[in-house]
Amino acid sequence: MSHHDEANQFALLKQRRFAPFFWTQFLGAGNDNLFKFAFTVMVTYQLQVSWLPPSLAGLAIGALFILPFLLFSATSGQLADKYDKAALIRLVKWLEIAIMLVAGWGFVQQNVGVLLGCVFLMGLHSTLFGPVKFAYLPQHLDERELTGGNGMVEMGTFVAILLGNVAGGLLIAMPEVGARAAAWACIGLAMLGRITAQYVPASPSTDPALRINWNPVTETWRNLKLAHGNVVVFRSLLGISWMWFFGAVFLSQFPSFAKEVLHGNEQVASLLLVVFSIGIGVGSLLCEVLSRRHVEIGLVPLGAIGMSVFSLDLYFASRALPPASALTLAQFTAQAAHWRVMLDLALLSLFAGLYSVPMYALIQLRSQPSHRARIIAANNILNALFMIASAVGVGALLKAGFTIPQVFAIVGLLNAVVALYIFLLVPEYLLRFIAFIATRLIYRFKVRGDEHIPVEGAAILVCNHVSFVDAVLLMAASPRPIRFIMDHRIFQIPVLGWLFKLAKAIPIAPQRDDPTVYERAFEQARQVLSQGDLLCIFPEGAITRDGQLGEFKGGVMKLLETHPVPVVPLALQNLWGSFFSRVEGAAMTRPFRRGLFTRVGLVAGAPVAPHAVTPAMLRDRVGSLLAS
């Protein structure tokens, strides 16, 4: 186990490599939202300007804030790859102080034009900070901490958005001094952020030789093409952008949903925002608990299912609410029917958190370090596009006479379609989901020594073969996809056969039975190793009939001749005699002999150098791990 294992993700808040950065981004997100919300409330309630009617104010401010993301993300991604990230953070914070001084003057003078300009500039400040924010983490956290670190940052961002919105609304509403109070709060937060930024540790450039292309259009296009280069990364980017599309529908409709459907006052709108944010925060933190410290993409299908289920339930819950005059918080929460609405919102956002955090971590893990910030910039561009599309789409549906609950239901159904599409494109998600469920429910699964499974580069894993589901368990234990060589007869089993085809397992038959299949298997296996992926072999050649370790065949040697890669011995313990193994002749005859919740262990041993490998020696290694 690595030394971070005992600590949980909150321990990162005590560490210099994480804490200053966390508080800097927390204050920045809070300030953005305090400023935007105070301004929106001011234009909606206090200061009627003929050219900016209240109904449009929210949309206009939102659009102005997102515009820089579309225009400048690509440029800021290059900056974050080229320069030291700590230096960039400090520069951006100086910029924030300057913008807030101007905005403070605008609040006091009640000058709407200046404040709109400042919204655009704050958007620019966030655009510059975004790629730095996500490219900073993988530089300072290792693979096991990425899920926790991302969860913390996501949660921090949402708490900051929450507090910012609440504080902005309260400050600006103070009679007489509201505008001045809001102005000072903005300037104060910016100064604080600059102070915490002082403590961010140096984060050297990942690509100092980069020549910056200042043309935003060509660079944006180049960025999207760069991201498109890695299929897993690009599909994850689309997945995250879809989450923003989904979330934007709800966030943009809260005020009108609260007023028209739930018949509540402004406080009720804030309550919905609070419930939604808490849900995302809890979901982001749960990722860490559920994912055993690796980046667990099996959570993504789980999140997608939850998002659809609860957005549809929200439609049924809010369809039939009794009419009422504007309810205060106390009156609103006194009615049982409203609790179901709030529960749906909380769970829907919790599953959205489960859905997005592993994707963020996956992008950071799988994109090349030198291009990381630019990939994340591409993500911001896509997010902005999707959010704008979502605003336009929802506007069109409402114009066409749909009610808000119906819009929620439509988005829920759309989400189901998108999810299915993504999982058929990237079977890895679905496989990890099935492995995730199997290892949590059917087998209580304990993994030891998994730090021996290499995080990158080709390697051969050898494991004892006890049951039909060995491969599923190994999939769940490894942070990386594994390609298996399996007996061709396993592919004829219903369901499991389909699963292994999805996992691109390689069928093999004994040389004397079917020489062509045998040769083709080795051909494919060599390809896997050439691509730098993990290959897993069960050298016994067949599932054990008596629970003992069979003789190891020489297939490994054949592969090492052409590809000398490290060999990692693995041992599955306690699986013998369980549901899928061959006790009493056939598998599954008396499945519940040892109960559903069998304890199963997987132990990985230290990698063996290719020149030292012999089949007998590997068998000894696996045997001693079995006994450990």
Side-chain angles (χ1 to χ4, degrees):
M1 289 305 198
S2 77
H3 58 286
H4 305 300
D5 236 37
E6 278 58 57
N8 65 356
Q9 62 212 68
F10 287 100
L12 288 170
L13 282 178
K14 298 198 190 79
Q15 297 171 14
R16 165 100 195 247
R17 60 193 177 133
F18 186 77
F21 160 77
F22 175 84
W23 291 114
T24 305
Q25 73 92 28
F26 181 86
L27 290 165
N31 208 0
D32 277 347
N33 287 284
L34 190 150
F35 169 64
K36 276 195 311 197
F37 201 70
F39 181 30
T40 313
V41 171
M42 181 170 124
V43 182
T44 313
Y45 292 102
Q46 302 173 3
L47 178 75
Q48 264 43 34
V49 206
S50 53
W51 50 272
L52 192 64
S55 57
L56 280 178
L59 274 175
I61 289 171
L64 265 178
F65 189 75
I66 284 180
L67 193 60
F69 282 91
L70 272 180
L71 299 175
F72 306 119
S73 275
T75 316
S76 79
Q78 295 180 84
L79 293 172
D81 274 336
K82 185 173 170 67
Y83 297 108
D84 181 308
K85 294 177 191 59
L88 273 176
I89 290 175
R90 293 183 193 124
L91 188 74
V92 170
K93 285 290 153 189
W94 279 124
L95 181 68
E96 186 186 355
I97 293 178
I99 301 168
M100 280 310 166
L101 286 168
V102 177
W105 182 84
F107 269 131
V108 177
Q109 297 295 323
Q110 306 229 321
N111 183 327
V112 178
V114 166
L115 286 169
L116 281 172
C118 288
V119 170
F120 180 81
L121 289 172
M122 276 312 271
L124 178 64
H125 148 265
S126 292
T127 306
L128 287 171
F129 195 63
V132 181
K133 174 164 108 176
F134 283 115
Y136 174 92
L137 288 174
Q139 227 178 348
H140 292 269
L141 304 183
D142 63 29
E143 190 257 344
R144 291 164 173 273
E145 300 168 305
L146 266 184
T147 307
N150 272 302
M152 290 296 287
V153 170
E154 279 286 271
M155 182 210 65
T157 306
F158 276 97
V159 172
I161 289 175
L162 240 181
L163 295 174
N165 279 331
V166 174
L170 291 176
L171 286 172
I172 197 83
M174 287 159 53
E176 308 295 318
V177 295
R180 261 197 315 250
W184 280 114
C186 287
I187 296 167
L189 282 177
M191 303 260 187
L192 261 181
R194 178 62 189 85
I195 293 168
T196 54
Q198 195 55 45
Y199 296 96
V200 174
S203 317
S205 159
T206 43
D207 189 358
L210 176 72
R211 307 241 340 249
I212 291 193
N213 165 19
W214 290 103
N215 177 337
V217 184
T218 54
E219 188 51 36
T220 298
W221 184 243
R222 195 187 301 172
N223 254 8
L224 291 173
K225 276 209 335 226
L226 177 82
H228 196 246
N230 180 334
V231 179
V232 180
V233 169
F234 190 68
R235 302 247 164 86
S236 304
L237 292 180
L238 285 178
I240 288 177
S241 296
W242 172 254
M243 191 214 55
W244 280 104
F245 178 99
F246 182 88
V249 171
F250 290 91
L251 287 171
S252 65
Q253 291 310 310
F254 278 158
S256 43
F257 180 62
K259 191 172 153 195
E260 287 153 30
V261 183
L262 305 178
H263 316 293
N265 61 9
E266 301 92 339
Q267 291 170 323
V268 174
S270 300
L271 177 71
L272 295 183
L273 189 73
V274 170
V275 168
F276 194 76
S277 308
I278 289 172
I280 290 203
V282 172
S284 304
L285 293 180
L286 261 182
C287 276
E288 166 79 342
V289 179
L290 292 172
S291 65
R292 298 218 168 98
R293 311 224 149 246
H294 280 303
V295 175
E296 178 53 86
I297 58 180
L299 291 172
V300 175
L302 184 68
I305 295 167
M307 283 156 70
S308 281
V309 169
F310 292 108
S311 48
L312 287 167
D313 192 68
L314 185 62
Y315 161 67
F316 291 115
S318 57
R319 203 175 43 164
L321 289 173
S325 57
L327 301 168
T328 61
L329 263 186
Q331 293 165 323
F332 177 76
T333 49
Q335 294 184 20
H338 294 151
W339 282 93
R340 180 171 160 200
V341 171
M342 290 193 291
L343 189 70
D344 282 335
L345 272 179
L347 287 170
L348 172 153
S349 53
L350 184 147
F351 280 100
L354 284 184
Y355 169 88
S356 64
V357 171
M359 288 217 234
Y360 273 116
L362 188 71
I363 290 169
Q364 294 172 4
L365 196 63
R366 299 271 178 96
S367 44
Q368 303 159 311
S370 57
H371 288 61
R372 217 179 257 140
R374 275 164 286 174
I375 299 270
I376 286 154
N379 186 19
N380 286 339
I381 297 165
L382 285 170
N383 287 350
L385 279 171
F386 273 64
M387 284 167 86
I388 290 168
S390 121
V392 171
V394 170
L397 285 174
L398 293 172
K399 269 249 178 351
F402 286 90
T403 64
I404 295 175
Q406 281 170 336
V407 170
F408 289 167
I410 290 168
V411 175
L413 291 170
L414 261 180
N415 180 59
V417 174
V418 169
L420 257 174
Y421 175 68
I422 290 184
F423 304 141
L424 290 177
L425 277 179
V426 191
E428 204 183 313
Y429 283 122
L430 212 54
L431 291 168
R432 293 299 294 245
F433 177 54
I434 293 168
F436 175 78
I437 298 293
T439 52
R440 294 303 187 283
L441 294 182
I442 306 176
Y443 295 107
R444 286 176 310 171
F445 192 43
K446 181 126 181 66
V447 182
R448 288 181 300 154
D450 54 340
E451 67 275 1
H452 292 311
I453 301 177
V455 184
E456 53 193 4
I460 299 176
L461 311 175
V462 297
C463 187
N464 58 325
H465 205 359
V466 198
S467 73
F468 294 119
V469 291
D470 292 355
V472 178
L473 294 172
L474 291 176
M475 259 186 248
S478 164
R480 287 170 59 194
I482 303 179
R483 299 278 302 273
F484 295 90
I485 298 188
M486 305 180 80
D487 188 324
H488 65 112
R489 287 170 307 217
I490 285 193
F491 288 86
Q492 284 137 25
I493 300 176
V495 185
L496 276 178
W498 169 80
L499 233 176
F500 295 139
K501 280 196 196 77
L502 256 188
K504 299 200 181 72
I506 302 167
I508 193 167
Q511 199 165 8
R512 53 178 189 279
D513 297 0
D514 193 340
T516 49
V517 173
Y518 181 79
E519 277 311 315
R520 190 170 350 124
F522 276 95
E523 191 46 50
Q524 284 179 295
R526 289 198 184 96
Q527 233 173 333
V528 170
L529 293 174
S530 304
Q531 286 162 359
D533 289 330
L534 294 178
L535 176 74
C536 180
I537 304 183
F538 299 107
E540 294 168 84
I543 289 178
T544 173
R545 294 185 175 282
D546 53 5
Q548 298 307 309
L549 196 56
E551 183 204 346
F552 274 29
K553 309 272 187 298
V556 184
M557 307 312 294
K558 203 171 148 163
L559 285 169
L560 290 174
E561 283 164 24
T562 52
H563 292 80
V565 297
V567 179
V568 183
L570 303 169
L572 278 167
Q573 300 169 315
N574 289 356
L575 199 55
W576 171 244
S578 71
F579 186 55
F580 288 105
S581 66
R582 273 203 180 142
V583 171
E584 292 150 26
M588 311 198 203
T589 39
R590 289 171 51 197
F592 301 108
R593 240 170 42 104
R594 283 182 41 186
L596 266 180
F597 295 92
T598 323
R599 288 227 32 181
V600 173
L602 172 73
V603 196
V608 183
H611 54 81
V613 174
T614 66
M617 171 261 208
L618 280 179
R619 180 170 180 250
D620 290 346
R621 282 289 177 95
V622 172
S624 61
L625 287 173
L626 265 177
S628 68

